[in-house]
Amino acid sequence: MVESLNSKADVVEKAVYHHGTGTYGQIMVGNKAFEFYGDNVNHYLQIPWNEVNKVIASLYFKGKYIPRFAVQTKEGKMYIFSSKEPKKVLRACRNYVDSNDIVRSLTFFQVLKRNIKRIIKANK
C-alpha cells in the first residue's frame, strides 16, 4: 500500500489522470504534495510542492468551464488531470504554488497564429 506524503489534506476530489488512456481515481491536495491515487493500487502519482513549476488550466467561456488542468514539474514533465470540481482543486493549489505560476493555457487560435508566424519567419 502506498503511503501519502501529506500530513493534512485540503481537498480530495474524484479525477481522471490523462496519459494515453484515462485513469480514474482521486486527487489529493495537501500540505506537502499534489497526489493522485488511481482505482488500481499500482497507479499513483505524488508530486511534492517544491517540484511543481506551474499549474496550467484550460479555460472556456471566460473561466466558467475548466475541462482540464496540467501540473508541470521543474524537470519539464506535464501531468494532465480533469476533476469533478476543478475550481476547488485549483484554489487549493493556490495555497502552495505562487499565484503567478497558475496560468491559462493557450487557445486553439493562439497556437495556430504562433505556428503560422514561425513558418513565415523560417521562410524568410
Side-chain angles (χ1 to χ4, degrees), residues 12-64:
V12 177
E13 192 69 40
K14 287 185 179 181
V16 178
Y17 170 43
H18 301 280
H19 61 97
T21 59
T23 302
Y24 291 89
Q26 290 188 334
I27 287 177
M28 182 190 306
V29 177
N31 59 345
K32 295 183 182 173
F34 181 93
E35 300 177 332
F36 173 80
Y37 297 104
D39 291 339
N40 185 348
V41 178
N42 297 329
H43 290 94
Y44 66 93
L45 182 63
Q46 297 174 325
I47 307 169
W49 289 120
N50 58 0
E51 292 294 319
V52 173
N53 188 23
K54 290 192 184 293
V55 177
I56 304 164
S58 296
L59 301 178
Y60 294 122
F61 306 115
K62 298 181 183 177
K64 294 186 188 299

Side-chain angles (χ1 to χ4, degrees), residues 87-105:
K87 288 183 182 181
K88 186 190 290 186
V89 174
L90 293 172
R91 280 190 198 110
C93 289
R94 193 171 49 188
N95 295 333
Y96 304 105
V97 177
D98 185 25
S99 61
N100 294 328
D101 291 335
I102 298 177
V103 296
R104 289 183 177 196
S105 66

